Amino acid sequence: MNYMEDCFAGAPQEFLICITVHKAVKVGLTSGELYVRISLDKMTKSTKSFPNTENPFFNEYFVFEFHCTLTELLRLTILFELKKHMTYKKNVVVGELLVDLHSVWNQSNHGYFKKWGRLEAPIGDNQPPENQPNEPHGYLQLDLAIVSQHSPVSIGLRSEEQDTQNLNKWSVDQDYDDIEKNLLTNVSSFAPSNIRYYIAFYRGYFVRQSNYMIQVSFAGFNGKTPVAKNTTTPVWNHEINFAWMYPSVAQRFLILILTHELLQWKCVAEFELSLEEIAFKGTPSLGPTYLHLYDPVNPMIYVGRLLMELRSEMLKDAQPSHTLSSKTVPGLDETRFWHDDVYLVEFLPLLGHQIQTSATAYKISARLAEHSSNVLEGVLRTPLDRFRSAMNSKSFRREAPFRSCMFRVRLPDNRAKYESDFFMLDIVNYMRSELDAFKVFQLKHPLQDDEQAKCLKAIVGNILTRIKEGLEAHRFDHDVEPQRTTWDINRQLYLLDYFAKLPSELHQMKQRLRSCFLEHLDASIAEVVSELQRLVAEIGALSSMARTQDEWPEMVLSLSAGGKDLGVCRLNAKLFLHLQSGNSDLQQETLCWRLRSFSFKAIGCTHTCPNCGCTTAIVSGCLSIVVERERKAFLSSISDDWTSIEAMLWQPNPAQTNFLCHVYVHQAKVRPGGDKKSICDSHLRILFADQTCETYTSPGTLSPIWNAVITLNMLSLPGGVNLYLKNPPLLSLELYNSERSLSEDLVGMGSVAVSVISEERATDSSWEEPGGFAWSKNPMQKLQRLKHMTPPPLKWVPVAKKGSVQAEVLMSAELIELSMLPTGQDIKKEPHLATGIPVAIRPNMQNFVLEVFFVGLRNYSKSSMSSAGKRKIKVMMGDLVLTSGPSTARVRNSINFLVAYASGVVVS
């Protein structure tokens, strides 16, 4: 799923389900007319019948249209039924195939190309009358694709085995009639076998009192629990079981929580469970664990939690009965698997900016599940600098001593299970920082392939050392008290197997750089960097704290002003845990009580990407979740930076730090369609803390070049510089079109992390090599210097609106610590705008002179060209940007075409 498709996962859009039924083989019937019936969400379509063969050929194409969200679409399952036409009685189902749309969407091109599906016995029947008990039901060959409104343009279906470099090559060696090599299921990861699933629902805890019932759906199976009447703590102790093939293209369980209201059953919560996320190359297993449930209409509303368990066992039967059964089971004792503990959740807001409101006061609070904190109130102020836009942006700054939001919550203590997750997060963060520094090294030393290779080998070696230290410290095979579940065991074995193989892969990367010839070294460096980026994505996916088992409720920060909700910030609560470890060497770094920027999104925002353009505020503050009995140890661990005066009252050490902020804005690129008019008079607005400043307006172009340096003087931020070094704050961007004829002049919004440079590093952070250092033969020393360079290198920052990227801005920003206090006349200095980005980071721009020769024009005169045509030529030539020097003939032909198009004459 690419960036845009993922962002619009929660927004209704148009979808096409494209299906081609090619043929069926080995159906076991030699007489009668066979056809395929396709069922999808109460819609059915059928192929023509094919007579008297066990290998019928259909080759028919079908399209189903949907208008819904991506989440709703991926819950659907397509049912293919191979049926035999009967004259005097109901048509007989020979075999059926169920395909989960989620498995189709997960393919590289959102589709299957000439894949074979194994036909199974119909659900609810033991065997069709024509088949013997041990005979197969045959195979069905299909094309299946999902096309969304935001999908990239594709020429057509292709095999997912083809990479992007070979798209223009016709595949001549692929045998699509080989069933074993083209099965829908992934047989390489797990041998296909019949498996029986057991799903047990024990009890629940809900906010509202009502009659509760649970319905679970999977691949045509629908099971229900008994009704628990008039309660907030229903107890079911009910188990549902059925047999199916694993692995299969049906992977999703849908659990619905139903309540009886107004003489009908209503769905108040739902939860999707994917088998591929809980299998870990073994039989699927989950729990016992709590599933936290939210309102399907408003995800901010917490409904309750459900205690459940899923287990599975292999079956020896070749053709098990596809029937569903249920029974009552004994209750579950939670203390066998975990112990509950009381946690203190505390949120400390310090300052906020880019608050989209016209009100003069704000309220901010936090909540977790059904628990809420106290509400903090404050005054909103208008930024110092005057701005031209009509949008109302306010800021606030709380005064010391700072008051916090706090509340207590009882949650399962599963911190020992999170040890491996935090270790993998540390590995991912380290790899990303090293790769970012290496990119800067390549910019500074573009032609020194030998030194680049030495740096890259050192980076790979450091990553290898960290992984080996983690394996020796038993980061993945830790003991969990009091008892581990099957899911815990399978996940630990999976992680151990992955990281045991990873060192050999890193050794191969180092060997590739050592053994490469000098003339091919640049290509090898690019390949190793690409492999490291792939490993970052893989380990990041493994370290995802949003696990299905042992999940905590979502942390929600709420901001309101003038009696209206402005925005919410949804967070993974476990990332802010304080981990108390007996061995200090095993202590993991978390986000607990780290100063960071929290982005608040609009209440109605349905986008999933972090930069969707729906930001309503950015608040800097600290958040912690600490076991109540360990609060003293937590306070001692942060005593260097914070002092707790009393409960919910804090004083930073030091009280504040003075910074100088430089923002370097070079240019922007507005995407086609990113603005409603071809003439775009653009300017960029910068917001940070209680200050704001704008660039000048670049008239009449979609590619404005400002070459501007914005200086925010005397930024006094609470706390010491170490708080900002660990988590650099976010600076807000607003790109405007100053065309007053437009009803809405905002092109898009974005944010960029600033580079924080402390006073001790400022003396050794320039781009010029210090004396004697230029002759150093250690490239790693040069690499470490590049992590904190001033000025920071420019990068493209996306600017989005309503979920889609509208433009990119080439810019960077830095915060430099100031130790000397300013004089009295310089304290209240307004932001300053200047022209001239430093030469060290300025892009290499070249000017081209275009000479236009009008040749071969028939009946051409000055009066023959309309004023509209002249304006069009001026606009099109103004937006023409040349990055290289094309030939004069190509330039002449292009301009002649524009002249002819605008004036209505023909070029001979």
Side-chain angles (χ1 to χ4, degrees), residues 111-169:
Y112 292 110
F113 181 67
K114 288 192 175 181
K115 291 294 184 179
W116 292 92
R118 179 177 173 177
L119 296 171
E120 299 288 335
I123 294 177
D125 297 334
N126 291 332
Q127 293 294 329
E130 286 81 4
N131 284 62
Q132 297 299 323
N134 293 326
E135 288 185 356
H137 297 270
Y139 299 88
L140 188 65
Q141 191 183 47
L142 304 167
D143 289 347
L144 213 166
I146 303 176
V147 181
S148 72
Q149 183 176 339
H150 301 284
S151 294
V153 178
S154 178
I155 298 176
L157 280 176
R158 63 181 184 271
S159 173
E160 64 271 10
E161 297 174 359
Q162 295 177 276
D163 56 9
T164 56
Q165 298 178 354
N166 298 323
L167 293 183
N168 296 327
K169 298 180 181 179

Side-chain angles (χ1 to χ4, degrees), residues 15-17 73-74 101 104-105 109-111 144-148 151:
F15 291 96
L16 297 179
I17 313 299
L73 182 79
L74 299 188
L101 288 185
V104 181
W105 184 262
N109 53 1
H110 301 327
L144 213 166
I146 303 176
V147 181
S148 72
S151 294

Side-chain angles (χ1 to χ4, degrees), residues 864-877 898-904:
S864 64
M865 183 181 297
S866 63
S867 59
K870 295 177 182 178
R871 286 198 302 271
K872 181 170 289 189
I873 292 176
K874 181 180 179 181
V875 171
M876 299 178 76
M877 292 179 62
L898 296 180
V899 173
Y901 176 79
S903 58

